[in-house]
Amino acid sequence: LVKDVDIVIASSDFMPPCCNTREDVIKFFVSNNIDKFAITAGSQPIEYYSNGSKNEIFVPEVEVIDSLAAGDVFHGAFCYFYLEDNNFKNALRDAAKIASFSCEFFARDWIKNL
């Protein structure tokens, strides 16, 4: 599947069969010609790679009530924001804000407060 995508957003837990470390995963994406990818790790900074350059985006600190589905919220928000302006960094940053915000509420209650 990776060979058929343009952008990958993966959890730090993602390990293809040929990989044992995060560096292996990065090499895996690069060797599969993925020039835009990000690795998320919960509240830790998001590592992102774009056209061979590595950067980080800090995840907003929030009081976490429920983090279930935060990754799904992140992916959905990323798609929305990326389609808005086609800017990888901005879409990651804005998706991190929405996903963090969602963690401040139980279940789907965050949507009422968006």
Side-chain angles (χ1 to χ4, degrees):
L1 181 63
V2 171
K3 294 179 181 190
D4 295 323
V5 298
D6 299 322
I7 296 173
V8 173
I9 299 173
S11 163
S12 59
D13 295 331
F14 175 73
M15 279 297 155
C18 61
C19 299
N20 296 307
T21 66
R22 183 178 290 200
E23 290 73 29
D24 291 342
V25 174
I26 293 165
K27 289 177 187 174
F28 174 78
F29 290 145
V30 170
S31 70
N32 281 285
N33 299 315
I34 307 296
D35 58 329
K36 290 181 184 164
F37 60 92
I39 300 173
T40 63
S43 63
Q44 299 301 308
I46 299 166
E47 285 183 50
Y48 75 95
Y49 300 77
S50 182
N51 302 317
S53 179
K54 175 187 173 186
N55 293 286
E56 286 186 339
I57 292 176
F58 290 94
V59 175
E61 289 186 36
V62 298
E63 182 180 340
V64 177
I65 304 297
D66 184 3
S67 64
L68 188 64
D72 296 328
V73 171
F74 183 90
H75 281 85
F78 172 83
C79 291
Y80 172 83
F81 290 118
Y82 190 74
L83 289 172
E84 283 289 301
D85 71 0
N86 204 37
N87 185 301
F88 188 56
K89 177 184 175 182
N90 291 347
L92 290 170
R93 181 198 63 220
D94 294 344
K97 289 178 187 175
I98 297 294
S100 294
F101 178 76
S102 77
C103 292
E104 294 181 283
F105 302 90
F106 182 71
R108 294 178 291 173
D109 290 346
W110 67 274
I111 294 172
K112 299 175 203 169
N113 297 288
L114 186 61

